[in-house]
Amino acid sequence: MEKFTKFLLSENEMPRQWYNIMADMPNKPLPPLHPGTGKPVGPEDLAAVFPMELIKQEVSTERYIDIPEEVFDLYRTYRPSPLFRARNLEKALGTKSRIYYKYEGGNYSGSHKANTAIPQAYYNKMEGVRRITTETGAGQWGSAMSFACNHFGLELLVFMVRVSFDQKPGRKLMMNTYNARVVPSPSTMTAAGRKVLEADPDSPGSLGIAISEAMEVAVQDPYTKYALGSVLNHVILHQTIIGQEALIQMAKADDYPDVVLGCFGGGSNFSGIAFPFLRENLLNGKKTRLVTIEPASCPKLTKGKFMYDFGDQSGMTPLLPMYSLGHNFIPDKIHAGGLRYHGAGVLVSQLLKDGFVEAKAKFQRECFEGGVLFARTEGILPAPESTYAIAGALDEARRADIDGVSRSILFNLSGHGHFDISAYEKYFEGNLPDHEVTAEEVDRSIAQLNLPVF
Amino acid sequence: MEKFTKFLLSENEMPRQWYNIMADMPNKPLPPLHPGTGKPVGPEDLAAVFPMELIKQEVSTERYIDIPEEVFDLYRTYRPSPLFRARNLEKALGTKSRIYYKYEGGNYSGSHKANTAIPQAYYNKMEGVRRITTETGAGQWGSAMSFACNHFGLELLVFMVRVSFDQKPGRKLMMNTYNARVVPSPSTMTAAGRKVLEADPDSPGSLGIAISEAMEVAVQDPYTKYALGSVLNHVILHQTIIGQEALIQMAKADDYPDVVLGCFGGGSNFSGIAFPFLRENLLNGKKTRLVTIEPASCPKLTKGKFMYDFGDQSGMTPLLPMYSLGHNFIPDKIHAGGLRYHGAGVLVSQLLKDGFVEAKAKFQRECFEGGVLFARTEGILPAPESTYAIAGALDEARRADIDGVSRSILFNLSGHGHFDISAYEKYFEGNLPDHEVTAEEVDRSIAQLNLPVF
């Protein structure tokens, strides 16, 4: 096997179930709270925005959940995704370590987001929903959802964060090609959007604002529901197909990872690859380190507070127990639009608190440097988001060489950067500013909110 | 097998040789001629622009040529490419036929061009070349060559046809990311470019002009060679890896194509998928129809003349026996930049003349209509060039339904359209003009040349 570069699976070998980390977490997460009553929210509180099957998945403690046949039929048009040994990158680094990456950018949408877009559209369709509203940052999630909704005969309205709307016109056109309507956020279409625009007509927007707008539209019509591309438990559940496949592929490579890395926005691509390996740590005595890489300019895991906070900017979601920078926090306009989110998913937050995962932060300049090295050696032009995982993997390889050992390093290459090429232009021009958010800034952001911090 | 959607091969199953149609053609093509002497050109005439190993492949009549280990090592980072059954497209059409496509857009460069970029860079490197010059239309070939040259430590200078340079800025930036220098053509860097600009300062350029510029630079320095992305025999040889794989994959699908289609610019993606099936026709009694689809605005196979003509605009190449619109022909500014070439490769020209392949022409509007249907059903956003193959396949399916039969239809989806999204915007705006070139226009174009027509 030593010389193989690419580890594929046949459709026969594809996992048929998602893995639910809730079954195996030593400490279950705290419940989401109703902001009015302060009581845990029940399924009925969520029924206005999500179909019942997704609400069930949100709270399920079953270890495995079957992938429906109709979802599997679309999964197999692009899954299993390949797992690569990065031999040319290893050579360029001169490292003794083995670097692997799971490439999730090879599908129609160009990122891992297809893995949850398809089941979300499917479950909505099954429950008679006619229209979906959603947010998107860089546009990966919106593209994934556009095709999935069109496939299942659902209308889609996408609120796209304005800074990304302006940076990445190709993504908007792609969503249009898949029949979706795309509106820059903040917009004048919602009360939430108008309020932001009154305070700052030039607001670059944020995922938190776009979520508020999408939810506001969804709750006004019984046949319209809302869909979220990250953060929530059911989203992360769907993404575990990545790690489930990677486990089989690493076995084909006759190797097992010492460390697994993913970039971090709300948690879905990291959790997707990491949780099946975490299960092996928890149940089968493995000792793989699981490492998130987030932007220094949006450092919720490394500098945020563990607290109950809203998932959106205007406070429409339940209060979620998570690491947060405060739901009013507006991150720098970095090119990794998918990582510009103030909070972290509940599952990862609890696991970080309990010491089962690690968190690191990086500047975008260093990440693009890694991304360019990766493109020149491995060929694939990575999404700005994915360059954070690359930079994290490069650190691990360099540290192993300093330690004089060969480690097995696996990261999730969550998407390609074909619609983000102008970000590379900025990098080559030396024009990629971002700043390290300080503890004081976080304190100020959270102090405004009047919400309890643990 | 009936339910499978995707037919993959392991690295173990990858073909290790390219297939050379020259071995099996009933009528060998006429020789290229030296324009000065009128005599057939010998290897020494080509040595100023190509390395000897590629010249040998250009004239070889060996049936199979081994893929070098270093080339295979890069091939296996992205090959074998998947073969899909287009089940969702079939459903949308309501056809009884089985539609398959081989997807060549999943690699770093986004198209089949990587298959010849890698061996061309490799053979040049082996013979001590330091710098390559080349042309590119839409940028697929330039992107493929940029990565390959950087991998083997060669400098690359790309002359990009101006209309594509303006339409597709992302492609230029991608080539820069892979360390290549990109110049819009016609340029002031060469005598050939300056001559065109004097006559028409607003010239949109053409592949023929860009080839002249690239060759002019190459012949001035012994350590610089020139590389071509289509047309020539050695280029087509390298692309046969596509059809070699497809034969094995169709067997895995328990099916065999009644018809194989490819879009047509210079001939490389069509020939790549079709020639291994043509071998089966010639040697093993199969009866697969092999169909090229070209733009109605650049119809060399359907309306051009079989003649000796130059491959470039200023007459630097040998005279090639091919179907041509005349080397001064400037096609409409259609979005399928890779199909804007006046001539057809020598091998396909001879085979068309002898009745072994068929040729059809289409307007870009109909092709984009097919491309949008394909994107909405199969997910992948096709390159403008590839939409011609899609439109051809849709015709075949509709005709089979009219005939009341189920046919097996295979086409080459040569690349993705992630850098061509503005072309889709134009399509939705109803703004995609092109005109059907008439026989009179072709006569006028060729009459200027004073070259013999057969």
Side-chain angles (χ1 to χ4, degrees), chain B residues 22 28-34 38-42 59 233 306-309 318-322 346 350 454:
Chain B
M22 285 270 268
K28 306 298 177 219
L30 299 171
L33 301 181
H34 192 288
K39 296 259 159 47
V41 296
V59 298
N233 302 356
F306 190 77
M307 63 186 290
Y308 267 107
D309 195 5
L319 284 163
L320 300 168
M322 61 181 184
V346 164
Q350 186 65 44
F454 299 90

Side-chain angles (χ1 to χ4, degrees), chain A residues 20 112 129 242 259 373 396 436:
Chain A
N20 183 7
H112 67 294
V129 173
I242 303 171
V259 56
L373 176 65
E396 294 291 336
E436 186 169 6

Side-chain angles (χ1 to χ4, degrees), chain B residues 280-407:
Chain B
E280 300 306 307
N281 286 359
L282 293 169
L283 304 186
N284 296 318
K286 297 286 190 184
K287 292 188 158 43
T288 301
R289 290 170 50 230
L290 307 168
V291 182
T292 64
I293 315 286
E294 64 185 3
S297 57
C298 192
K300 57 235 164 197
L301 292 178
T302 51
K303 295 213 174 125
K305 306 289 184 195
F306 190 77
M307 63 186 290
Y308 267 107
D309 195 5
F310 292 107
D312 70 317
Q313 200 261 358
S314 71
M316 297 194 68
T317 70
L319 284 163
L320 300 168
M322 61 181 184
Y323 282 96
S324 177
L325 299 166
H327 61 263
N328 284 329
F329 183 84
I330 303 287
D332 288 359
K333 296 186 224 174
I334 57 170
H335 286 271
L339 309 185
R340 292 180 72 250
Y341 185 64
H342 67 276
V346 164
L347 297 172
V348 172
S349 290
Q350 186 65 44
L351 290 164
L352 177 68
K353 191 160 177 288
D354 292 343
F356 294 106
V357 308
E358 300 172 31
K360 298 194 173 174
K362 287 201 171 287
F363 291 109
Q364 63 176 343
R365 200 187 318 263
E366 179 188 349
C367 297
F368 272 89
E369 189 184 322
V372 169
L373 176 65
F374 185 86
R376 287 183 182 165
T377 51
E378 295 295 312
I380 299 168
L381 190 82
E385 291 81 1
S386 310
T387 64
Y388 287 76
I390 293 169
L394 296 179
D395 276 355
E396 293 291 335
R398 290 181 189 121
R399 203 175 78 178
D401 289 328
I402 290 168
D403 294 346
V405 296
S406 168
R407 295 211 180 95

Side-chain angles (χ1 to χ4, degrees), chain A residues 3-6 8-9 11 76-77 79 84 108 147 173 177-179 375-376 379 416 418-419 421, chain B residues 3-6 8-9 11 76-77 79 84 108 147 173 177-179 375-376 379 416 418-419 421:
Chain A
K3 283 214 66 187
F4 281 81
T5 297
K6 199 163 78 225
L8 301 176
L9 301 176
E11 289 181 26
R76 62 185 186 160
T77 62
R79 304 207 69 81
F84 291 93
Y108 70 86
F147 172 75
L173 291 167
T177 301
Y178 292 137
N179 255 334
R376 289 183 180 165
H416 66 60
H418 298 168
F419 294 96
I421 190 82
Chain B
K3 283 213 65 183
F4 280 81
T5 296
K6 198 163 78 224
L8 301 176
L9 302 177
E11 289 182 27
R76 64 185 186 160
T77 61
R79 303 206 70 83
F84 292 93
Y108 70 88
F147 172 74
L173 291 167
T177 302
Y178 292 137
N179 255 335
R376 287 183 182 165
H416 67 61
H418 298 169
F419 294 96
I421 190 82

Side-chain angles (χ1 to χ4, degrees), chain A residues 17 39 48 106 111 155 164 192 209 241 346 354 358 389 408 442:
Chain A
Q17 298 178 309
K39 296 260 159 46
S111 84
E155 278 179 55
S164 293
I209 296 167
I241 187 81
V346 165
D354 292 343
E358 301 172 30
S408 175
V442 177

Side-chain angles (χ1 to χ4, degrees), chain A residues 322-451:
Chain A
M322 61 182 183
Y323 282 95
S324 177
L325 298 167
H327 61 262
N328 284 329
F329 183 84
I330 304 286
D332 287 358
K333 297 186 224 175
I334 58 171
H335 286 270
L339 309 185
R340 292 180 70 249
Y341 185 64
H342 66 277
V346 165
L347 296 172
V348 172
S349 290
Q350 187 66 44
L351 290 164
L352 177 68
K353 191 160 175 289
D354 292 343
F356 294 107
V357 307
E358 301 172 30
K360 296 193 175 176
K362 286 201 173 287
F363 292 108
Q364 63 176 343
R365 200 187 317 262
E366 179 188 348
C367 297
F368 272 88
E369 188 184 322
V372 169
L373 176 65
F374 185 85
R376 289 183 180 165
T377 51
E378 295 295 311
I380 299 166
L381 191 81
E385 290 81 1
S386 310
T387 64
Y388 287 76
I390 293 169
L394 296 180
D395 277 354
E396 294 291 336
R398 290 182 188 119
R399 203 174 77 178
D401 290 327
I402 290 168
D403 295 348
V405 296
S406 168
R407 295 211 179 95
S408 175
I409 300 162
L410 167 63
F411 69 90
N412 197 13
L413 188 70
S414 57
H416 66 60
H418 298 168
F419 294 96
D420 308 280
I421 190 82
S422 65
Y424 283 86
E425 188 176 26
K426 296 279 188 306
Y427 166 75
F428 286 117
E429 288 168 357
N431 182 15
L432 274 191
D434 57 344
H435 88 291
E436 186 169 6
V437 168
T438 62
E440 293 68 38
E441 282 177 87
V442 177
D443 287 343
R444 270 202 306 276
S445 167
I446 289 174
Q448 303 166 4
L449 304 180
N450 214 8
L451 286 167

